[in-house]
Amino acid sequence: MHMPAVRTFTLGIVLSPILASAAVLEVPSQFATIQQAVNAAGAGDVVRVGPGVYQERVRIAGGRVGLTIEAADPANPPTIAGKPNTSNDGIRVAGVSGVVLRELRIQGANDCVRLDHVRGARLEGLELVACRLAVRLSKGSGNTIAGARILGTRGAQGILVDRAAATEVADTVITGPQREGIAARNAPGLVVLRTVVTSSHGADGIRVASSDSPRLEDSRFDGNHHDGLHVSDSAGLVLLNSTANGNESVGFRIELSPPYASVADVLATGNTAAGNGTADVRVVPKKCNTSTCPPPPTLPTTSTTSTTTAPAVTTTTTTAPPVPEVLASWRMYVRIADAQNRELNVDAPRTGDAPIDVAIPADLVSDFRVNDQVSDNELSDFGGPDLVARFADAAAAWLAGQSERYPGAHLVAIVWVKRTS
């Protein structure tokens, strides 16, 4: 399999007078630890770290806009070694924009790198090994991950983009995460370029949900535990020249994400898929609620330099036959409120009792692997409000039969469901 090369990037910005006179702080010759150097740094300064292992957690906060932490010798990068089974992150940036992390190795932390409320950060050429989660971006915008190598995670995603706009991931290799290689939710303008995700152990290669105008191009998603790429509720999707092979469920799963409305649309924009367990491509089109639907949008072209337009998606008046249903057995964890309106979480059914039977559409069965927990958000992603309502009705019926144990209680929410057979 072709792996994208790690590239060197430069910042294309005009330096302010403060940044132009940046100081260089050397570790360990001037400062014994990275954190000591960061504490002494100001806006635009450079912390240059020599080879070695640094058993510490690094925090960047305050007025250190444009701070850079980089390897003194990119061929022999320093290692920031975290402590497994703690909440300590390798590097955490809190509200400081324009930070650059370059050619560092971070291993064994909680989050290798965590960016909270950060804008315009660049993570370049990082090697992130066996952290619980490799990179977490939360509530920022315009951040870039380029040329990273993510080698396994201990419990979560390779990259998690949560309510952060205009994130770009380029020329990155993600191998063996415990959850998704990349998971993005409420992340409009996500861009994934020339990136490889392989061998996720517990989820999709890439999962994009409720994120308008995502762009995924020249990437591949192979040998993942569930789908190679799963995109849902993300209008304005651009998917070009990508490959999904040998995933356990579906190669490309595109749901409610125009302009893609059919398998042919996915293939028309240069994407290929083969050897996937359930289907190579599966598409659920966005439906309109009126008798007169607007014309479908135009598919993106298969090349960023081409001026030709792919054929538009056509509509049909044929009514699809109803999808058959499958009765399966489930256990749920639900939130209820008692007669005094106090909330608590309970097992439905109780431990030791027989599971609850709920019918679901047959084409969704592969989304629910036996004994995998599926959250309420994932339920909605898989089948929309109708599917959530099915489980809510079943849980409410179970609760009604528990009046002696939970008198006057009512269902508040589904926390998760698990298929048992």
Side-chain angles (χ1 to χ4, degrees):
M1 179 180 67
H2 172 69
M3 295 290 190
V6 175
R7 302 184 179 184
T8 302
F9 296 82
T10 58
L11 287 174
I13 60 176
V14 178
L15 298 179
S16 69
I18 293 177
L19 300 183
S21 58
V24 177
L25 296 82
E26 303 282 353
V27 180
S29 60
Q30 294 177 305
F31 298 89
T33 69
I34 301 170
Q35 189 64 60
Q36 288 176 0
V38 168
N39 292 345
D45 286 351
V46 176
V47 174
R48 191 160 289 155
V49 187
V53 177
Y54 298 82
Q55 189 83 45
E56 58 178 303
R57 53 179 185 171
V58 179
R59 300 292 178 267
I60 303 173
R64 297 175 177 86
V65 175
L67 177 71
T68 294
I69 303 178
E70 65 180 15
D73 178 7
N76 189 11
T79 296
I80 298 172
K83 295 181 179 180
N85 305 317
T86 71
S87 60
N88 293 334
D89 301 326
I91 298 178
R92 181 182 293 184
V93 185
V96 181
S97 295
V99 168
V100 178
L101 307 177
R102 181 182 294 127
E103 303 293 346
L104 305 172
R105 189 174 194 270
I106 305 172
Q107 180 172 351
N110 184 47
D111 294 352
C112 284
V113 178
R114 180 169 182 159
L115 307 182
D116 290 330
H117 296 272
V118 172
R119 296 182 179 181
R122 290 188 64 87
L123 314 183
E124 303 176 4
L126 303 184
E127 183 173 85
L128 309 174
V129 182
C131 292
R132 182 181 178 277
L133 190 158
V135 181
R136 183 193 302 265
L137 295 88
S138 178
K139 297 182 181 178
S141 64
N143 301 301
T144 299
I145 302 166
R149 294 178 66 233
I150 297 173
L151 307 176
T153 63
R154 298 199 313 275
Q157 292 86 2
I159 298 171
L160 174 61
V161 185
D162 182 14
R163 294 164 291 171
T167 299
E168 180 173 315
V169 181
D171 302 293
T172 287
V173 176
I174 304 172
T175 304
Q178 285 298 312
R179 294 289 299 171
E180 297 89 352
I182 300 173
R185 54 195 183 217
N186 299 313
L190 173 74
V191 175
V192 178
L193 303 174
R194 302 177 301 277
T195 287
V196 174
V197 181
T198 61
S199 305
S200 71
H201 293 297
D204 304 321
I206 294 183
R207 178 74 172 94
V208 181
S210 303
S211 301
D212 286 347
S213 302
R215 183 181 188 92
L216 300 101
E217 186 171 356
D218 292 323
S219 297
R220 51 188 308 143
F221 326 107
D222 293 347
N224 295 291
H225 173 76
H226 201 243
D227 300 333
L229 171 68
H230 184 175
V231 181
S232 65
D233 295 298
S234 298
L237 170 66
V238 174
L239 176 60
L240 299 175
N241 304 325
S242 293
T243 301
N245 293 335
N247 300 285
E248 290 189 27
S249 187
V250 178
F252 294 107
R253 185 190 297 268
I254 311 299
E255 299 173 327
L256 313 179
S257 298
Y260 292 87
S262 69
V263 171
D265 293 343
V266 173
L267 301 179
T269 52
N271 305 294
T272 60
N276 298 285
T278 301
D280 289 330
V281 183
R282 179 171 288 169
V283 178
V284 177
K286 185 81 170 179
K287 297 178 182 178
C288 52
N289 297 321
T290 61
S291 57
T292 303
C293 294
T298 303
L299 287 173
T301 60
T302 57
S303 170
T304 55
T305 58
S306 173
T307 58
T308 61
T309 302
V313 182
T314 57
T315 59
T316 177
T317 57
T318 302
T319 302
V323 176
E325 294 189 345
V326 172
L327 187 66
S329 298
W330 308 84
R331 293 193 177 275
M332 308 183 206
Y333 194 55
V334 301
R335 184 172 300 115
I336 67 173
D338 64 14
Q340 288 74 44
N341 212 33
R342 295 172 300 190
E343 293 190 2
L344 64 157
N345 292 340
V346 299
D347 291 318
R350 296 170 57 192
T351 302
D353 291 347
I356 297 172
D357 289 336
V358 180
I360 64 171
D363 61 349
L364 296 181
V365 170
S366 64
D367 289 321
F368 298 91
R369 301 175 69 87
V370 173
N371 292 325
D372 275 0
Q373 290 182 5
V374 178
S375 71
D376 57 341
N377 288 334
E378 290 173 320
L379 273 179
S380 182
D381 289 341
F382 290 156
D386 290 344
L387 185 64
V388 177
R390 288 183 189 224
F391 284 97
D393 289 345
W398 169 84
L399 185 60
Q402 304 293 313
S403 57
E404 185 174 328
R405 184 174 180 85
Y406 304 113
H410 63 272
L411 183 71
V412 175
I414 302 289
V415 180
W416 55 255
V417 304
K418 179 192 296 184
R419 184 163 72 93
T420 61
S421 64

